[in-house]
Amino acid sequence: MATYSLANERLRALEDIEREIGAILQNAGTVILELSKEKTNERLLDRQAAAFTASVQHVEAELSAQIRYLTQLPSGIANSNSGKK
């Protein structure tokens, strides 16, 4: 049972990362839209750029943690779960 709990926790973490990537894309879209205007709002650009940078750093750290976890799994566990649905 504990294995399923850990697996669910890992899946939730990946879903959080996916949502954060969506937020990154929204921030980038907002910046691009603002840059296309004749008169840009510098404060908005600064806030969106800071949010973009922070989100990218967070996603990078979380993905690195996920990869570290996967590289520490015994190869038999990783292979035996790959074919299950």
Side-chain angles (χ1 to χ4, degrees):
M1 269 307 188
T3 303
Y4 292 117
S5 174
L6 182 60
N8 285 336
E9 183 180 321
R10 292 288 170 183
L11 286 174
R12 276 193 295 277
L14 289 173
E15 289 170 352
D16 291 343
I17 292 169
E18 184 178 19
R19 277 191 290 280
E20 185 104 26
I21 290 171
I24 289 169
L25 294 174
Q26 284 183 324
N27 286 337
T30 301
V31 168
I32 290 170
L33 183 63
E34 189 63 29
L35 288 172
S36 69
K37 295 178 181 176
E38 193 169 312
K39 185 176 179 183
T40 60
N41 181 339
E42 293 294 323
R43 288 194 305 165
L44 174 65
L45 287 173
D46 289 342
R47 282 194 313 267
Q48 292 296 318
F52 177 86
T53 302
S55 292
V56 168
Q57 289 172 344
H58 181 254
V59 165
E60 181 181 14
E62 290 298 317
L63 285 175
S64 293
Q66 292 289 330
I67 291 168
R68 271 192 311 279
Y69 169 76
L70 290 173
T71 59
Q72 293 172 358
L73 283 179
S75 62
I77 292 174
N79 290 337
S80 68
N81 288 334
S82 64
K84 293 183 180 180
K85 293 187 179 188

